[in-house]
Amino acid sequence: QVQLVESGGGVVQPGGSLRLSCAASGFTFSSYGMHWVRQAPGKGLEWVAFIRYDGSNKYYADSVKGRFTISRDNSKNTLYLQMNSLRAEDTAVYYCAKDRKAAAGKLQLYAFDIWGQGTMVTVSS
Amino acid sequence: DIQMTQSPSSLSASVGDRVTITCQASQDISNYLNWYQQKPGKAPKLLIYDASNLETGVPSRFSGSGSGTDFTFTISSLQPEDIATYYCQQYDNSYTFGQGTKLEIK
């Protein structure tokens, strides 16, 4: 079945770094745009980053631009989020999510139809 | 940036009730609006895409309508398993979620 499984979360000190991974299965990973979305404890959802199916374009929320890097390895069916210069306000559950439609031609935005179970990132001294 | 305003922020209703949640965009987003359900401790689940299209496998008691700046999400007959927080999301320009509506059983 279609599945996304995140890993790599943990506790890190302010200013530190962490890399999250999202392993995909059950669909043609290389055909779909992918996202990271986060949710701070007791708060709502915040979109973090998007990468096109082939990695050619990447987009970020202003809150993480310049500190986070999204990437993918289509040969390994895996999505990544490199998080540097972490702050207390980055504390959240991080979800990876898949575009509802496969990419075709020019960039188009879609709903997120499959989500992982999430991985917790805590930034604290 | 496009802001999404959901109301109410919380709602208490009885089993069998018709429940309505609204979402207003700060500018015209056409029909680029989705609705998600999130149960406690779980990942969000897509229910409605493109404002009014029911995702495969989602019960028909869920529906969505609207275009432009004003959107509505409806549960025609509330079931106990519908207890969750519901989020709207615009994707006309980047992505923005509403602040969520927590639905409880009365």
Side-chain angles (χ1 to χ4, degrees), chain A residues 35 37 39 43-47 50 62 95 99-100 108-113 115-117, chain B residues 1 34 36 38 42-46 49-50 55 87 89 91-95 97-99:
Chain A
H35 304 264
V37 178
Q39 186 170 36
K43 302 298 184 182
L45 301 168
E46 180 188 16
W47 171 78
F50 165 71
D62 287 344
Y95 297 99
D99 269 349
R100 194 182 69 82
Q108 285 188 277
L109 307 189
Y110 299 110
F112 309 164
D113 68 337
W115 297 61
Q117 85 289 352
Chain B
D1 291 5
N34 307 311
Y36 297 87
Q38 187 179 32
K42 300 295 186 181
K45 174 185 176 183
L46 177 65
Y49 64 93
D50 295 350
E55 176 69 344
Y87 294 93
Q89 178 205 34
Y91 62 108
D92 176 62
N93 184 345
S94 188
Y95 306 91
F97 291 92
Q99 77 275 23

Side-chain angles (χ1 to χ4, degrees), chain B residues 8-59:
Chain B
S9 55
S10 65
L11 174 59
S12 182
S14 300
V15 172
D17 281 355
R18 183 180 183 87
V19 170
T20 298
I21 298 169
T22 64
C23 188
Q24 186 171 59
S26 59
Q27 64 189 68
D28 189 337
I29 59 170
S30 186
N31 67 331
Y32 297 117
L33 192 285
N34 307 311
W35 291 95
Y36 297 87
Q37 175 193 66
Q38 187 179 32
K39 296 184 178 181
K42 300 295 186 181
K45 174 185 176 183
L46 177 65
L47 299 181
I48 302 285
Y49 64 93
D50 295 350
S52 60
N53 292 295
L54 196 66
E55 176 69 344
T56 302
V58 174

Side-chain angles (χ1 to χ4, degrees), chain A residues 1-19:
Chain A
Q1 75 279 23
V2 178
Q3 193 173 11
L4 298 171
V5 178
E6 301 96 336
S7 61
V11 180
V12 60
Q13 292 189 337
S17 298
L18 209 57
R19 188 177 84 154

